């Protein structure tokens, strides 16, 4: 026969628990206070503007405002999906993003693994500093550098090609080369910065594992394959999930600086399309519909990638 706990005792227990919670909260009050600026930032610049998604379902105009504009329902989405131009920019976004993922994601990992094997501290730090620098250069400046380096008339790259007897290549004007130029220039600018996360994960690998492997006769390749990569597998998977969740982000700044009407067929992406129809043509509702469609795809990919990771026994992002 189970004994029933008196109501007064349960109330006292709940009261004590609440007091402990508030006491713990009060003891960390300064830590929580430090969160206020970050929370305010996300609320003001990320959550509050979400009500603007209503523009995609309205015939928006400046005079009536968002709430005062008439409802359009899904008319903008219906019109959007009937446009051949939309599917072209959607395909361009997907292709460029996949290129960036396939070639851009493993490259920093490879560089981090190579630097992790270097024992000369001065050399390692020098290389790290050199490859980090392009990240801090804006795409406006980087675009000017690329135009100068890849110019068909006076660019140093084409001068080298001519020196070895080849024909100059129009990297920024030829559609067959433009996407590859975008991807490799992105890797050049960002791979050094992305190695920081992998280097931080590699620093947490237990050195005793390497010592034991050396005692067992494992060479460098086997140590990397059986110790290093499994030890940082969780970090790799989380970063991969986040990259997949941003698959429809093809790099607006870079493409906006480098592209021109001559390569629109292979370089015009969703973000540049939204810019043109939204700000240039003033079709805000249609631009909002395109942006919402892209956000839904990114969210869906993030959830699917996270679920797949958890089904494979790995830790996801949530």
């Amino acid at each position: 026969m189970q004994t029933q706990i008196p109501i007064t005792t349960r109330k006292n227990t709940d009261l004590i628990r609440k007091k402990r919670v508030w006491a713990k909260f009060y003891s960390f009050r300064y830590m929580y206070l430090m969160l206020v600026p970050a929370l305010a930032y996300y609320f003001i610049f990320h959550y509050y503007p979400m009500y603007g998604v209503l523009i995609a379902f309205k015939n928006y105009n400046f005079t009536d405002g968002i709430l005062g504009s008439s409802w359009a329902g899904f008319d903008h989405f219906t019109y959007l999906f009937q446009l051949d131009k939309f599917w072209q920019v959607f395909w361009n976004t997907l292709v460029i993003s996949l290129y960036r993922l396939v070639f851009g994601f493993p490259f920093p990992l490879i560089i981090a693994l190579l630097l992790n094997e270097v024992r000369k501290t001065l050399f390692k730090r020098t290389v790290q500093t050199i490859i980090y620098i392009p990240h801090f250069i804006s795409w406006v400046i980087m675009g000017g550098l690329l135009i100068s380096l890849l110019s068909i008339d006076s660019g140093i790259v084409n001068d080298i090609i001519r020196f070895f007897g080849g024909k100059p290549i129009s990297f920024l004007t030829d559609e067959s080369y433009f996407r590859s130029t975008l991807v490799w220039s992105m890797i050049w600018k960002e791979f050094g910065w992305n190695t920081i996360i992998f280097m931080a994960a590699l620093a947490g690998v237990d050195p005793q594992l390497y010592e034991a492997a050396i005692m067992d006769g494992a060479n460098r390749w086997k140590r990397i394959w059986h110790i290093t990569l499994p030890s940082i597998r969780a970090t790799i998977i989380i970063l991969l999930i986040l990259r997949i969740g941003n698959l429809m982000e093809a790099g607006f700044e870079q493409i906006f600086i480098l592209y021109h009407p001559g390569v629109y067929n292979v370089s015009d992406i969703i973000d540049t399309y939204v810019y043109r129809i939204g700000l240039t043509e003033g079709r805000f509702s249609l631009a909002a519909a395109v942006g919402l469609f892209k956000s839904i795809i990114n969210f869906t990919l993030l959830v699917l990638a996270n679920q797949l990771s958890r089904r494979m026994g790995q830790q996801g992002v949530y």
Side-chain angles (χ1 to χ4, degrees):
M1 183 176 180
Q2 296 180 349
T3 58
Q4 293 183 352
I5 301 175
I7 296 177
T8 55
T9 304
R10 281 185 290 176
K11 288 183 177 179
N12 291 334
T13 303
D14 293 338
L15 183 60
I16 294 172
R17 186 181 297 111
K18 290 180 180 178
K19 287 183 177 180
R20 288 178 178 175
V21 171
W22 281 108
K24 187 175 182 179
F25 177 82
Y26 184 78
S27 63
F28 290 99
R29 60 189 182 280
Y30 296 113
M31 299 294 292
Y32 290 119
L33 188 62
M34 294 174 63
L35 287 174
V36 172
L39 294 176
Y41 165 79
Y42 278 100
F43 175 77
I44 295 173
F45 296 102
H46 291 272
Y47 287 98
Y48 177 71
M50 282 185 180
Y51 88 97
V53 76
L54 293 174
I55 297 176
F57 303 94
K58 291 195 169 190
N59 296 314
Y60 174 74
N61 60 72
F62 283 111
T63 57
D64 296 331
I66 296 177
L67 298 179
S69 301
S70 61
W71 284 96
F74 291 93
D75 293 345
H76 298 299
F77 293 92
T78 303
Y79 174 76
L80 181 67
F81 295 148
Q82 293 175 350
L83 292 176
D84 293 335
K85 179 62 176 178
F86 171 74
W87 294 111
Q88 180 184 0
V89 299
F90 176 80
W91 174 252
N92 289 338
T93 305
L94 187 62
V95 171
I96 294 174
S97 297
L98 287 175
Y99 280 174
R100 290 163 64 100
L101 178 64
V102 172
F103 296 102
F105 181 79
F107 195 77
L109 175 60
I110 295 173
I111 299 301
L113 292 174
L114 293 175
L115 289 175
N116 189 56
E117 296 297 320
V118 176
R119 295 294 173 259
K120 298 291 185 180
T121 305
L122 179 60
F123 176 77
K124 178 191 286 189
R125 291 180 178 177
T126 303
V127 172
Q128 287 177 324
T129 303
I130 293 174
I131 64 178
Y132 293 164
I133 289 176
H135 171 78
F136 300 98
I137 301 176
S138 68
W139 271 116
V140 176
I141 299 175
M142 187 64 72
L145 290 174
L146 289 172
I147 293 174
S148 299
L149 292 173
L150 302 178
S151 173
I152 193 171
D153 297 324
S154 58
I156 187 173
V157 175
N158 278 309
D159 287 343
I160 294 174
I161 294 175
R162 290 192 190 94
F163 179 79
F164 288 100
K167 295 182 179 180
I169 300 174
S170 303
F171 292 99
L172 298 177
T173 57
D174 192 337
E175 292 183 353
S176 59
Y177 289 98
F178 190 80
R179 284 176 179 168
S180 300
T181 304
L182 287 177
V183 174
W184 289 111
S185 60
M186 181 277 300
I187 294 175
W188 172 42
K189 184 177 185 299
E190 300 295 341
F191 85 93
W193 180 258
N194 292 331
T195 57
I196 293 177
I197 300 177
F198 294 117
M199 291 294 292
L202 291 170
V205 180
D206 189 355
Q208 294 182 355
L209 297 176
Y210 293 113
E211 295 174 2
I214 294 174
M215 294 295 294
D216 291 337
N219 55 28
R220 286 182 179 270
W221 169 249
K222 290 184 178 179
R223 294 199 297 269
I224 292 174
W225 185 256
H226 295 288
I227 297 177
T228 305
L229 290 177
S231 298
I232 64 172
R233 180 170 52 190
T235 302
I236 296 174
I237 291 176
I238 290 176
L239 292 177
L240 182 60
I241 291 174
L242 294 176
R243 287 291 297 271
I244 293 176
N246 289 313
L247 189 63
M248 301 307 294
E249 302 290 341
F252 169 76
E253 294 182 16
Q254 177 192 15
I255 296 177
F256 184 74
I257 294 297
L258 295 177
Y259 86 148
H260 52 83
V263 292
Y264 273 2
N265 291 332
V266 296
S267 64
D268 197 16
I269 61 173
I270 291 178
D271 291 331
T272 55
Y273 184 63
V274 168
Y275 169 80
R276 288 205 311 278
I277 65 175
L279 295 181
T280 305
E281 300 178 12
R283 303 164 70 182
F284 300 104
S285 295
L286 186 61
V290 177
L292 180 59
F293 175 75
K294 185 190 76 170
S295 299
I296 291 174
I297 293 179
N298 280 337
F299 177 75
T300 303
L301 290 173
L302 177 63
V303 173
L304 291 177
N306 186 76
Q307 291 298 323
L308 181 61
S309 173
R310 296 180 69 89
R311 287 181 180 273
M312 295 174 62
Q314 301 298 322
Q315 183 178 2
V317 295
Y318 64 88

